[in-house]
Amino acid sequence: MKIVDTLVTSSAQQTTVSGIGRFRADFPILDIKVDDKPLVYLDNAASSQMPQAVINCLVRYQKTQHANIHRAVHYLSNLATQEYEAARCKLQNFIGAHEDREVIFTSGTTDSINLVMHGYGRKFIQSGDEIILSELEHHSNIVPWQMLAEERGAHIRVAPINDAGELLVEEYEKLFNSRTRFVALSHVSNALGSINPIKRMIAIAHQHDVPVLIDGAQAAPHLKIDVQDLDCDFYAFSAHKMCGPTGVGILYGKAHLLESMQPFKGGGDMIVSVSFEKTTYNEIPYKFEAGTPPIAAAIGFGAAIDYLEQIGLDAIADYEHELLLYASEQIRVIPGVKIIGDCPDKVAVISFVIDGIHPHDVGTLLNQEGIAVRTGHHCAQPIMQRFNVAATSRASFSFYNTKKEIDALVAGIRSVQKVFAQ
Amino acid sequence: MSLKSIYQEVILDHNRKPRNYGSLDHPTHHATGHNPLCGDRIDLDVNMLDGRIEEIVFQGESCAICKASSSMMTSAVKGKSRQEAEALIQEFRDMLVSRENKDFDHLGRLKVLAGVRDLPTRVKCAILPWHTLHAAMNSTGDATTEADGHLNKPVANNY
């Protein structure tokens, strides 16, 4: 009990120092109870929670601003269009894109990757060509490329990782040859949290004139992204992992590449003119936004960006790193517990296994203490195979988590072990 | 049913010391069961003689709920006819997914698994061995919890 008190005090001091602790109060859902236990939400890599500012924005939009965009001439349609395009500009500034037309609203990261697979891949990738992925990819950055490879007779090459979960850049470099046509890499591994050295990897690809897509779903909520500095050709992420609503994400693409691509979906708003003989496609970004987009969600995404920028991505990264170190130090020393992917350059994600206890039992028992973690293969089965485990438990932290919650997780892990030691 | 009661002694005991664990050299029937949600995988070997389950063993990688359910199932169906086993499969499944308030006292010790009802994401773990037995007896080779559309409804499958 005494130890816990000390930890709580040090946590309070730390949050005051970093000044981030006060933002927790912005998240109404964090006050709920799970069977009379306070919710300890550590499944942020799956989906983060929404602050009141974003909830207010969605309510305000639905109550006073909603209509379809880019179509009618009336007041509400103009207003909704302005708000939607303003959200696009917020995203543009957030990632340092050169122009707002390089930001395409999609339904999320998976949709963005599929857009590039159809729009770029199906146009430019031929039989015998090669696509490079890494061993750390989420299924959403594997399966679309396999579908393309199968359709075209192309081949997938995979960059390996080491036992700490770090990509082996020298091995990656060796995969390039005259048939390499595309590279798709995650910025941050969803299953392990490893931050990949993508700037270096993009530069290597560009030496071979190969474009690179970055899956930034796990990076954008935690790290400052500058697409011009990275020089990536495509960058994709989702709103719901960064305090925004579900159902919306973006694809950033260099303008000349987006212009060279074929549309992914046909429909309204993506055309200039349509007749039964010929359709002329609209300019980017509209060429890729067929049909009525998730207008409310996109505007809510803009509000989430405003919210995160008010805190500051650098401050978020610093505080979350502090949480990662605090949690890693405690979990690493519990006998019978092993962290999978324990490398120094990580976002605040800890994937772990407990000797003799299946992760789903761990998840069910932690839930009994009000603690939400993800258990399973995290849609990244190749990594599970790499580490020879069927599944792991994953705790993923956000800037609104506290050291006290990490203490609850550590106590929870020990009590799971106690149940199974009976 | 409180969550605590899921991991009661009998389940933990079957997890620690599973009954009928192993494989048969020349089983007359075999099936592999997968639960992609958990990564559970079990192999079931059965020797049927004159329409009766003479020998039944399982092995595999699975969570405690699945392992205990496998262990208890193999004990429960050994010696039963195919029809009796199929009836038990149906009743066990009903116990976990039926919305009706039926009495399952006749299932005896298997009733300890009834608590899983309240954990929709774990129902598949408990049912997997039973699906696998059905597949083995019908020689369909393998079973997956995903093929049971009914099971997918209450489950928040977060893929």
Side-chain angles (χ1 to χ4, degrees), chain A residues 121-166:
Chain A
R122 296 182 84 191
K123 185 162 178 185
F124 297 112
I125 290 172
Q126 312 296 336
S127 173
D129 287 348
E130 296 186 0
I131 300 163
I132 297 178
L133 310 177
S134 89
E135 215 171 1
L136 284 172
E137 300 311 311
H138 187 282
H139 294 167
S140 62
N141 204 23
I142 299 174
V143 181
W145 305 114
Q146 281 176 329
M147 291 164 74
L148 177 70
E150 197 172 326
E151 179 188 302
R152 287 298 144 104
H155 305 288
I156 304 285
R157 308 290 303 272
V158 183
I161 56 173
N162 64 17
D163 289 342
E166 296 164 309

Side-chain angles (χ1 to χ4, degrees), chain A residues 98-255:
Chain A
H98 186 54
E99 302 174 73
D100 60 355
R101 65 194 185 112
E102 295 178 318
V103 174
I104 297 159
F105 281 118
T106 65
S107 72
T109 309
T110 297
D111 193 33
S112 300
I113 295 169
N114 277 278
L115 191 163
V116 177
M117 184 278 262
H118 283 271
Y120 185 92
R122 296 182 84 191
K123 185 162 178 185
F124 297 112
I125 290 172
Q126 312 296 336
S127 173
D129 287 348
E130 296 186 0
I131 300 163
I132 297 178
L133 310 177
S134 89
E135 215 171 1
L136 284 172
E137 300 311 311
H138 187 282
H139 294 167
S140 62
N141 204 23
I142 299 174
V143 181
W145 305 114
Q146 281 176 329
M147 291 164 74
L148 177 70
E150 197 172 326
E151 179 188 302
R152 287 298 144 104
H155 305 288
I156 304 285
R157 308 290 303 272
V158 183
I161 56 173
N162 64 17
D163 289 342
E166 296 164 309
L167 266 177
L168 298 168
V169 181
E170 295 72 24
E171 297 300 314
Y172 159 79
E173 191 161 11
K174 286 181 201 158
L175 297 176
F176 285 87
N177 61 43
S178 63
R179 296 312 302 264
T180 310
R181 291 287 178 274
F182 202 78
V183 173
L185 298 170
S186 54
H187 193 165
V188 166
S189 152
N190 76 302
L192 310 181
S194 325
I195 302 173
N196 298 323
I198 56 163
K199 191 174 172 179
R200 229 171 103 205
M201 298 174 81
I202 292 165
I204 291 168
H206 287 174
Q207 283 165 15
H208 295 84
D209 290 324
V210 174
V212 183
L213 173 136
I214 301 296
D215 167 359
Q218 297 295 337
H222 308 292
L223 307 169
K224 179 86 193 98
I225 307 300
D226 183 336
V227 290
Q228 292 196 62
D229 178 57
L230 290 171
D231 198 26
C232 54
D233 300 281
F234 301 98
Y235 197 99
F237 54 96
S238 305
H240 74 95
K241 295 190 197 288
M242 45 200 302
C243 302
T246 54
V248 72
I250 67 149
L251 172 70
Y252 157 82
K254 286 179 179 169

Side-chain angles (χ1 to χ4, degrees), chain A residues 3-48:
Chain A
I3 294 164
V4 171
D5 285 343
T6 318
L7 294 172
V8 171
T9 315
S10 85
S11 142
Q13 283 165 354
Q14 289 292 352
T15 48
T16 316
V17 173
S18 64
I20 282 241
R22 67 196 157 100
F23 293 104
R24 182 180 172 87
D26 295 338
F27 293 80
I29 203 168
L30 298 179
D31 292 334
I32 69 160
K33 296 262 198 300
V34 180
D35 284 339
D36 294 329
K37 302 270 173 57
L39 169 69
V40 176
Y41 188 75
L42 304 178
D43 193 18
N44 295 286
S47 201
S48 60

Side-chain angles (χ1 to χ4, degrees), chain A residues 35 37 43 46 139 356 358 360-362 364-365 367-369 374-377 379 381 390-391 419-422, chain B residues 3-9 12 15-16 36-40 61-66 119 121-122 125 158-159:
Chain A
D35 284 339
K37 302 270 173 57
D43 193 18
H139 294 167
H358 191 281
H360 269 238
D361 296 316
V362 176
T364 296
L365 283 161
N367 178 61
Q368 195 174 310
E369 305 298 322
R374 172 77 193 272
T375 52
H377 53 58
C379 303
Q381 287 179 331
V419 168
F420 273 79
Q422 278 171 25
Chain B
L3 284 164
K4 270 206 172 72
S5 60
I6 299 294
Y7 290 96
Q8 52 189 277
E9 184 51 39
L12 292 168
N15 178 57
R16 205 166 36 239
L37 183 77
C38 285
D40 284 343
E61 286 289 319
S62 68
C63 64
I65 304 284
C66 180
L119 297 168
T121 49
R122 304 304 302 278
C125 308
N158 53 351
Y159 279 80

